Amino acid sequence: MRGFEIIGTGHYVPGAPVTNEALSRVMNTSDEWIYKRSGIRQRHYAPEGVGASDLGTAAAKRAIEAAGIEPKDIDYIVFATMTPDYIFPGSAALVGANLGLAGVPGLDIRQQCAAMIFGLQIIDGLIQAGHAKTILFVGAEAHAGFMPWHDWDVVEGRSDRKVSDEEKAKADEHRALAVLFGDGAGALVFRVTDRDAGLRGIKVHTDGRAAKLLYVPGGGFRTRPYWKADHFDEQKYVPLMEGRDLFKFAVTKLPETARALCKETNTAIGDIDWFLAHQANQRINEYIREHLGVSKERMPMNIERFGNTSAGTLPILIDECTRKGMLKKGELNMMLALGAGIHWGCALVRW
Ligand code: ACO
């Protein structure tokens, strides 16, 4: 068995933070509602013309610098996003080009908020098979493009004009979704190692029967053409989300999968140093934590500052924790995540 370790981490979020109060200027919402239901206080949004590949490239450069290597040392890129620059090609190719890595394979994966877990399985597989030695994982999202308002000048504080009730009512249709997501990217450099480190166990699952709990109804190749005027007029570019059902799915499946993984690997919850969980909703993570009997200190949270950055979340969290000196060599850490699809999973990694 070949081991791996994370030798460099980085993240990047665009622009100034946008507060809950700023969102209440374009929708009927409030800081109190958003914070109480989700734990979010602010998020960042990618500006017009900036895509997931740009955010991902900025994060990747920081991770490569932290690793003390050159881009040319990377022999594989795994890129995850649910908000790609283009319908095709995927953004892995664009990140590779931005880093000057012509010829290096770039794989796009589409597991939304669960991408880091699926990505780990792929990275471990590539390393075990000897196909790659130094792998760049990037998770990046530019959700701004699906937000249900057009008044970016008001959201971003460039104008204090009053938004019409009609515009607000349109945005309100998607307010439960819109307040949750933020933009950003995280990047991790994985490298094969002789140390006793790497994947100790992993469980990944998909249940496509629940695909429509969170999906984008417009702009897909089920229609001719794949983009129609009504997709815009009827806001079909905004994802539809059954928030309550997703919440229930997450608080049921994640603790269940974590326990199954512990059983399979003969690991006690108390043997695990850090629980690195996707940040979709603070209440989801508190529930998981309490259910598993994990103390608050062992599950770091940053949703308050970033919202849900989907595929970006876990690498951003890992970067922040690494730079704070929290994740140390030799520790046993669990990652947990669930995302649209529905895809979910848990992984145990010896750091
Ligand atoms: N501001 C004010 N009021 C709101 C807002 C808002 N932003 N959004 C909804 N409301 C209102 C609703 O209209 C409703 O009003 P009513 O009672 O008069 O009908 C009330 O608040 C309650 O709405 P619910 O949607 O039932 O609220 P809930 O308690 O379920 O919380 C939330 C909503 C925060 C979305 C929660 O369900 C949740 O977090 N779900 C999980 C989300 C998630 O995990 N997403 C997956 C991400 S994974 C990925 O791959 C991207």
Side-chain angles (χ1 to χ4, degrees):
M1 289 287 280
R2 292 181 169 95
F4 64 71
E5 58 189 341
I6 298 171
I7 60 166
T9 65
H11 86 267
Y12 175 80
V13 289
V18 174
T19 61
N20 293 342
E21 191 278 323
L23 296 190
S24 73
R25 296 178 213 149
V26 292
M27 293 183 297
N28 291 298
T29 189
S30 64
D31 177 54
E32 194 202 348
W33 192 97
I34 299 170
Y35 187 68
K36 196 170 150 210
R37 303 274 174 145
S38 70
I40 300 166
R41 288 277 192 211
Q42 62 174 52
R43 74 289 291 144
H44 294 250
Y45 292 120
E48 177 83 32
V50 171
S53 72
D54 302 303
L55 306 178
T57 301
K61 285 182 176 165
R62 291 179 179 176
I64 290 166
E65 191 189 341
I69 61 168
E70 297 290 324
K72 65 173 173 42
D73 298 323
I74 288 162
D75 53 13
Y76 217 106
I77 300 169
V78 180
F79 187 91
T81 190
M82 66 177 203
T83 50
D85 297 48
Y86 306 111
I87 284 186
F88 72 85
S91 302
L94 308 177
V95 170
N98 290 344
L99 295 173
L101 294 177
V104 171
L107 177 69
D108 289 281
I109 63 167
R110 300 200 44 175
Q111 273 63 37
Q112 290 59 256
C113 303
M116 179 81 254
I117 314 294
F118 282 74
L120 265 179
Q121 194 174 44
I122 292 167
I123 289 163
D124 184 61
L126 289 168
I127 285 177
Q128 296 310 327
H131 291 312
K133 288 194 171 92
T134 309
I135 302 174
L136 174 66
F137 177 85
V138 184
E141 302 289 354
H143 299 117
F146 69 52
M147 290 301 157
W149 57 75
H150 303 296
D151 316 283
W152 283 104
D153 55 334
V154 176
V155 170
E156 291 171 348
R158 285 177 277 116
S159 163
D160 58 5
R161 71 183 168 80
K162 208 172 160 331
V163 170
S164 73
D165 290 344
E166 195 190 353
E167 279 294 304
K168 274 194 165 183
K170 265 181 111 174
D172 280 355
E173 287 174 33
H174 301 283
R175 62 184 172 170
L177 165 106
V179 298
L180 299 180
F181 291 94
D183 296 346
L188 308 174
V189 179
F190 290 80
R191 181 174 262 181
V192 67
T193 181
D194 295 333
R195 255 188 347 101
D196 179 23
L199 199 62
R200 289 294 173 265
I202 187 159
K203 282 197 166 295
V204 287
H205 299 282
T206 300
D207 187 348
R209 292 173 302 177
K212 289 200 172 170
L213 292 188
L214 180 54
Y215 82 114
V216 184
F221 285 87
R222 295 167 70 92
T223 58
R224 297 176 181 178
Y226 68 89
W227 190 253
K228 291 180 188 286
D230 70 295
H231 292 177
F232 181 76
D233 297 340
E234 296 171 21
Q235 292 188 306
K236 287 184 179 170
Y237 56 87
V238 183
L240 294 178
M241 182 177 83
E242 298 291 341
R244 287 200 168 193
D245 290 341
L246 269 175
F247 195 101
K248 280 187 215 149
F249 217 101
V251 296
T252 311
K253 293 296 180 192
L254 288 174
E256 186 183 298
T257 309
R259 285 199 187 282
L261 180 59
C262 283
K263 194 170 175 210
E264 194 176 283
T265 55
N266 208 7
T267 306
I269 292 289
D271 296 339
I272 300 168
D273 291 290
W274 299 102
F275 290 79
L276 303 165
H278 176 61
Q279 314 271 305
N281 185 318
Q282 177 138 352
R283 288 188 299 140
I284 292 179
N285 287 3
E286 274 166 12
Y287 188 95
I288 295 169
R289 201 169 52 66
E290 279 163 22
H291 192 87
L292 294 177
V294 170
S295 69
K296 211 171 176 175
E297 296 69 41
R298 287 203 287 152
M299 188 182 278
M301 297 289 299
N302 64 7
I303 192 169
E304 184 171 342
R305 287 172 292 122
F306 299 123
N308 179 357
T309 54
S310 299
T313 297
L314 272 172
I316 292 175
L317 185 71
I318 290 169
D319 178 47
E320 287 205 321
C321 292
T322 303
R323 286 173 192 265
K324 284 182 192 157
M326 289 160 66
L327 306 177
K328 298 194 183 66
K329 284 181 182 177
E331 286 174 348
L332 184 63
N333 298 327
M334 178 177 271
M335 294 188 205
L336 311 95
L338 176 137
I342 285 178
H343 304 286
W344 73 97
C346 297
L348 271 172
V349 179
R350 177 72 65 193
W351 232 249

